Amino acid sequence: MSDNSSDPVAALAAVNARLKAATQRPVTLIAVTKTFAAERIAPVIAAGHRDFGENRVQEAEAKWPGLRVPGLRLHLIGPLQSNKAAEAVALFDVMHTVDRPKIAEKLAEEMTKQQRRLDCFIQVNTGLEPQKAGVLPADADAFIKACRDDWKLPVVGLMCIPPVGEEPSPHFAFLREIARRNGLDQLSMGMSDDFEIAAALGATHVRVGSAIFGARR
Ligand SMILES: *Cc1c(COP(=O)(O)O)cnc(C)c1O
């Protein structure tokens, strides 16, 4: 995309400028740091950026305790195993991948135990992909209701990852519609290749990795 990839601070500024051009609304840019070492992330924190995303609890545990500064928000954007719920609640500030009863129940239990409340996004499998995480669209309303009423999770919005190789717009619009009918106003959608489209379609959070840090090995 650009050879800013050698300078993540410059690349982040470029992504922010593109976001501003795509929408007037404020959008939280989550800088996705999975696979990148602490030395590569530190300059971005020093430049004042505060929202970061990781997709694995174990990798985040190894990297983030040493990087944290006040006001930093760490977002879990990858699938959570229930045996990692305690670590996830201790380390992260926002969960983007709540997608099944077992995880919802475990998160609720850990938040109570640790006296921490993490904003929760429910992941929806908008493309009905068998291998992909996320609640199926047909089950989304009931699951959202259960997360709120049964497990008392602080549900703030929905998240999706459109199928690779498909036009993402219909998925973003579909997610927005499910959120609207459930009274949710936050949408975590859009990655390096499609964050401007997502922003134009109502994203409140975009998750951008390679456009900031360069290609992952
Ligand atoms: C890796 C990842 C991203 C960022 O992907 P890029 O294409 O590098 O921007 C966003 N969301 C999720 C869930 C991811 O796992």
Side-chain angles (χ1 to χ4, degrees), residues 1-215:
M1 164 121 278
S2 68
D3 36 30
N4 275 335
S5 61
S6 56
D7 177 2
V9 174
L12 179 88
V15 169
N16 262 319
R18 288 167 59 191
L19 262 181
K20 278 223 175 68
T23 178
Q24 311 281 353
R25 292 175 304 101
V27 177
T28 299
L29 171 57
I30 300 170
V32 176
T33 50
K34 66 185 185 206
T35 78
F36 292 103
E39 308 82 73
R40 193 141 173 80
I41 305 166
V44 178
I45 300 173
H49 194 72
R50 289 295 176 265
D51 286 275
F52 294 89
E54 287 279 349
N55 70 334
R56 290 157 160 269
V57 175
Q58 227 159 342
E59 182 183 343
E61 267 187 313
K63 209 152 67 179
W64 278 95
L67 282 168
R68 276 231 180 237
V69 296
L72 191 140
R73 284 169 300 271
L74 195 56
H75 301 252
L76 180 62
I77 62 169
L80 177 62
Q81 310 303 321
S82 54
N83 64 359
K84 289 274 188 292
E87 290 91 335
V89 168
L91 183 64
F92 287 89
D93 304 287
V94 184
M95 309 282 320
H96 289 248
T97 53
V98 181
D99 71 345
R100 56 194 191 278
K102 191 170 182 200
I103 286 299
E105 189 179 345
K106 262 303 216 181
L107 284 174
E109 189 184 307
E110 282 302 328
M111 287 189 209
T112 302
K113 203 188 279 176
Q114 300 184 32
Q115 304 265 299
R116 273 175 65 74
R117 303 280 287 165
L118 281 67
D119 282 353
C120 291
F121 288 82
I122 290 167
Q123 183 175 356
V124 182
N125 185 355
T126 58
L128 314 174
E129 293 174 278
Q131 83 289 1
K132 195 167 269 178
V135 64
L136 290 172
D139 301 330
D141 295 2
F143 183 62
I144 293 164
K145 186 171 171 16
C147 285
R148 287 167 154 164
D149 298 351
D150 300 348
W151 299 300
K152 318 278 186 230
L153 288 176
V155 179
V156 298
L158 303 182
M159 178 270 214
C160 77
I161 309 171
V164 172
E166 268 187 42
E167 170 62 44
S169 308
H171 295 276
F172 296 153
F174 188 26
L175 193 72
R176 182 176 61 181
E177 173 53 25
I178 299 170
R180 189 204 54 79
R181 72 176 185 235
N182 284 282
L184 293 168
D185 56 15
Q186 299 192 40
L187 293 169
S188 168
M189 57 190 200
M191 309 179 13
S192 289
D193 287 340
D194 55 19
F195 68 87
E196 288 150 305
I197 299 168
L201 288 170
T204 59
H205 294 66
V206 294
R207 311 176 307 266
V208 178
S210 46
I212 298 170
F213 295 102

